[in-house]
Structures are given as structure tokens and as C-alpha cells.
């Protein structure tokens, strides 16, 4: 029998040990860590692209500023060119008027010269008929044009003084007319050349401005697209950051769940081992008790004068710290739960209702079930120093408020209670979270 129980104990422990050693969350956490690493790499790439987009935006904005400055210069040049073109057109009009006036003067002078030419010819014929100077006559008759005649006539020394005066005046008029005509034509040609140059410059400036406007629009479009790209990348980075944060929280929660499961499995293993050991001891002691106990027929009749022996009651604290073990792994925390028989039947407790229930199971009434709370429980007994804690004492913790949580001390720095994360469970109050929350209040019932 002992061998069978030993084998049973070993089997139970091995089975529970398998539960404890199975990495139920390892692959999930490993996958999430891998995803987190991938997201971090993606974020690095995205942030690198964001920096590149920012650099490109800076470059485009600098180019845009340069383009704006250039366009301003081109606009100013175009304005100045237009002013010059307008002035040149006005000068051309004025010079054209001068040319027209000179042409009229030239025409009048030519008419006057032609008349003088006729007069001189008549005088030459009269001189020839009266036996005048043959040389003078030859000059007149041998000239190829009136201008040539004037030049020839002035060279003849025998010309009469009156004719010389007319010829000299005519020569001066002719030279002045030629000079004026040449000056005006030169000025008009210069103005026309300037006008043509200004017209060409205006065309070029307009084309250049059009090209700059197109380039400026292109830069603006690129800038807008780059801004859109940057915003998209920033949105993607934000999304990746959220994914990373979610994964980090999931990993944290998964690890916490793994730790809670491990602790629960450890506690279950201890309880199972303890129960198995107790069963083994009972099984081992059963045959000897049967052999030593007297037969019912041989048992002496009790005398009416005999006093029935009274057994000492089981220690209250010992019972209250173990009575709730049945709910470990078989209950859930419900705020305000445990105050109806239905809740109790389904193992739905909050911390104070569980304590109330546990003490009721050992015959201790801690007040009306419907109104039990941490406030009523902390006044239900006698407060003792935390250094004098004993199993069965109530221990209080500051959670969402002062004395917001209560449990039953089981010894060894642990307590049993309805925990919000696990339901009824045994937790360590000598380290970690519960050590931080324990406020030192201990109530002995």
C-alpha cells in the first residue's frame, strides 16, 4: 500500500513538474520579441527616410528661395526693360519726326538749288554769247551734276564775285544738309537697333520668367509631395511606435501571466503534494488502527457515572487559513461579489466577502454579509503589531484606497485572499507588489 501511494505521489509531482516546466508562453513571447525587433528595424528605416525627406525639403525650400529671388530680379529687369523700350519708342517717334522735317528741308533745298542751277546756266549762256570766259563756260558745261558744277565753279578763278557768293552759299547749304541727314539717319538707325535689342530682351526675359515660373511650380509641387511623403512617413512611424508599444505591453502582460501561472502551478503542486502525503499517511495508519481497536462486542459498557471525554476544538486559525483552498484556481474576482448564495456557489468573491465567507465556515460571524467591507473588517477584532502576526490574522493593503484590500495571513510571509487578477489565491506579501502595498494593519479575530 505504501509503495502504491509513493508511486501515486511521484506521478502527481512529475505531472505537476511538467506543467511548471512547459514553456507555454515562450514561443508567443519569442514571436512578439521578433515582431518588436522587426518593427524597430522598420522604424529605423522610416526615420532614416523621414530625415532624408526633411533634408530634401530643406534643399527644395532653399532652391525655392533662390528661385523667388531670381524671379524678383527677372521681374525687375523686365520692368526696367519695358521702361527703356517705351522711352526708345518715344525717341524713335521723335527722331522720325526730325527725319521727316529734314527730308522736307532737303526737298526745299533741292528745289532751291535746282533754281540756282537754272540761274547759273542762264548766266553761263549769256556769258558765252557776249564773248565771256571760255574756261568758266567749260566748267559749267563739263560738270556731271549740279554738285560737281558747284565744286568746279568754285575752283575757277575767273568766276565773277556775284556767282562766287551764290556758289559758296549753295555749297554750305549742301554740306549742312548732308551732315544733318547723316546724323539723323545714324540716330534713327541706333534707336531702331536699340528697339530691336530691347524687343528681343523682352522676349527672352518673358521666356526666362515663364521657365522660372514653371520651375518654381515644379519645386512647389515637389515640396508639397515631399511634405506629404514626410507626413506619411511620420504617420507610419507613429503607427509603428504604437505597434511597438502594444507589443511591449503585450510582452509585459504575457510575462506577468506566465509568472502568475507559474506561481499558481507551484502552489497547486505544493497543495497536491501535501494532500497526497496526508492520504499516504492515512492509508499507512489504517491497518494498525483496525488491529489495535477493540471489537464492538468486547467493548465495555459505559457507566452512567463516567464523564464523557471532551476533545479540544481544532485551532480556529488553522482551519480558516485552509478552508478557502478549495477556491484556488476555481474562482473569480468580482467587485461586490460573494454577497449572495448564487455568487458563493459559483466562487464569485471580492476580498472582503471571501474573508467573511472563510470565517463563517469555521463558525465566526463577521457581521451582515450584505454590508461587509474592508472598513467593517478592520474594526472586527483587535489590532496587533505586524511583528506579532499569526496565521488567521487579517492583513490590509493600500491599493486603490487606504485599506483597499484584505486577506487572511497563512504564515511564511503569505496570505490567501480574492485577488483581482487571479481570483482566490495565495500571494507573497514579503516581496514585490504586495510588500509595497502592505500598510502594516493586522487585525486578530
Amino acid at each position: 500500500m505504501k509503495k502504491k501511494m509513493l508511486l501515486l505521489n511521484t506521478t502527481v509531482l512529475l505531472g505537476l513538474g511538467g506543467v511548471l516546466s512547459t514553456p507555454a508562453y515562450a514561443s508567443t513571447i519569442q514571436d512578439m520579441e521578433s515582431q518588436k525587433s522587426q518593427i524597430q528595424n522598420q522604424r529605423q528605416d522610416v526615420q532614416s527616410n523621414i530625415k532624408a525627406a526633411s533634408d530634401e525639403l530643406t534643399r527644395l525650400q532653399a532652391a525655392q528661395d533662390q528661385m523667388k529671388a531670381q524671379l524678383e530680379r527677372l521681374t525687375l529687369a523686365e520692368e526696367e526693360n519695358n521702361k527703356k523700350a517705351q522711352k526708345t519708342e518715344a525717341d524713335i517717334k521723335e527722331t522720325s519726326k526730325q527725319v521727316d522735317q529734314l527730308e522736307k528741308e532737303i526737298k526745299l533745298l533741292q528745289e532751291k538749288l535746282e533754281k540756282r542751277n537754272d540761274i547759273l546756266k542762264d548766266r553761263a549762256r549769256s556769258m558765252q554769247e557776249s564773248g565771256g570766259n571760255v574756261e568758266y563756260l567749260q566748267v559749267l558745261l563739263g560738270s556731271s551734276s549740279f554738285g560737281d558744277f558747284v565744286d568746279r565753279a568754285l575752283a575757277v578763278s575767273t568766276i565773277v564775285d556775284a556767282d562766287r557768293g551764290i556758289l559758296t552759299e549753295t555749297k554750305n547749304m549742301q554740306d549742312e544738309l548732308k551732315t544733318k541727314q547723316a546724323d539723323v539717319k545714324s540716330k534713327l538707325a541706333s534707336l531702331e537697333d536699340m528697339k530691336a535689342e530691347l524687343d528681343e530682351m523682352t522676349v527672352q526675359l518673358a521666356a526666362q520668367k515663364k521657365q522660372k515660373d514653371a520651375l518654381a511650380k515644379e519645386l512647389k509641387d515637389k515640396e508639397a509631395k515631399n511634405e506629404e511623403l514626410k507626413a506619411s512617413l511620420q504617420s507610419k512611424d507613429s503607427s509603428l511606435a504604437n505597434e511597438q508599444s502594444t507589443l511591449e505591453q503585450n510582452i509585459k502582460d504575457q510575462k506577468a501571466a506566465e509568472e502568475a501561472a507559474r506561481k499558481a502551478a507551484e502552489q497547486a503542486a505544493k497543495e497536491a503534494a501535501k494532500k497526497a502525503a496526508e492520504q499516504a499517511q492515512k492509508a499507512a495508519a489504517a491497518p494498525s488502527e483496525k488491529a489495535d481497536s477493540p471489537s464492538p462486542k468486547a467493548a465495555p459498557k459505559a457507566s452512567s457515572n463516567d464523564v464523557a471525554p471532551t476533545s479540544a476544538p481544532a485551532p480556529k486559525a488553522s482551519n480558516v487559513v485552509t478552508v478557502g483552498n478549495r477556491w484556488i484556481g476555481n474562482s473569480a474576482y468580482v467587485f461586490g461579489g460573494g454577497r449572495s448564495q448564487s455568487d458563493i456557489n459559483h466562487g464569485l468573491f471580492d476580498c472582503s466577502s471571501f474573508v467573511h465567507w472563510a470565517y463563517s465556515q469555521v463558525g465566526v460571524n463577521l457581521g451582515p454579509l450584505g454590508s461587509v467591507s474592508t472598513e467593517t473588517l478592520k474594526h472586527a477584532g483587535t489590532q496587533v503589531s505586524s511583528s506579532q502576526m499569526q496565521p488567521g490574522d487579517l492583513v490590509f493593503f493600500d491599493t486603490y484606497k487606504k485599506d483597499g484590500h484584505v486577506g487572511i495571513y497563512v504564515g511564511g510571509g503569505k496570505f490567501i485572499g480574492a485577488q483581482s487578477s487571479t481570483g482566490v489565491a495565495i500571494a507573497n506579501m514579503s516581496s514585490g507588489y504586495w510588500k509595497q502595498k502592505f500598510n502594516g494593519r493586522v487585525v486578530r479575530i
Side-chain angles (χ1 to χ4, degrees), residues 142-281:
S143 61
S144 60
S145 65
F146 180 71
D148 183 40
F149 165 74
V150 172
D151 291 336
R152 285 171 176 263
L154 289 174
V156 177
S157 58
T158 58
I159 193 171
V160 295
D161 291 339
D163 291 341
R164 184 179 296 275
I166 294 174
L167 290 172
T168 300
E169 183 181 357
T170 301
K171 174 64 174 176
N172 292 337
M173 290 174 61
Q174 186 178 19
D175 291 343
E176 181 181 0
L177 186 62
K178 288 181 179 180
T179 300
K180 285 183 178 182
Q181 192 174 28
D183 289 344
V184 171
K185 286 182 178 180
S186 176
K187 184 177 181 180
L188 183 61
S190 176
L191 289 172
E192 287 175 347
D193 289 343
M194 182 182 292
K195 178 64 169 54
E197 184 178 355
L198 289 171
D199 288 343
E200 180 65 22
M201 188 180 296
T202 300
V203 173
Q204 291 178 357
L205 286 171
Q208 191 174 2
K209 189 172 183 294
K210 184 178 180 181
Q211 182 180 4
K212 296 293 184 183
D213 286 335
L215 184 56
K217 184 179 182 302
E218 182 181 351
L219 287 173
K220 195 68 177 177
D221 291 342
K222 285 183 178 180
E223 189 175 339
K225 289 179 180 179
N226 215 45
E227 285 281 7
E228 184 178 352
L229 173 62
K230 182 179 177 181
S232 175
L233 289 170
Q234 289 174 333
S235 177
K236 184 176 181 181
D237 181 60
S238 178
S239 177
L240 288 172
N242 290 335
E243 288 184 32
Q244 180 179 338
S245 177
T246 300
L247 276 172
E248 289 172 349
Q249 184 61 44
N250 289 343
I251 290 170
K252 182 179 178 181
D253 293 343
Q254 197 78 308
K255 287 181 177 179
E258 180 180 354
E259 180 65 16
R262 184 187 66 78
K263 289 182 178 180
E266 286 180 353
Q267 184 61 35
K270 289 180 182 179
E271 294 296 332
K274 181 179 178 182
K275 186 175 181 180
E278 290 174 352
Q279 291 176 351
Q281 290 176 359

Side-chain angles (χ1 to χ4, degrees), residues 3 31 43 58 82 86 99 131 157 177 207 255-256 260-261 265 273 293 302 328 337 379 387 391 398-399 424 437:
K3 290 182 178 179
D31 290 343
R43 287 195 69 193
T58 301
N82 287 335
Q86 292 172 2
V99 171
S157 58
L177 186 62
K255 287 181 177 179
S293 62
I328 294 176
H379 300 295
S387 62
D398 293 341
T399 52
V424 175
K437 298 299 181 179

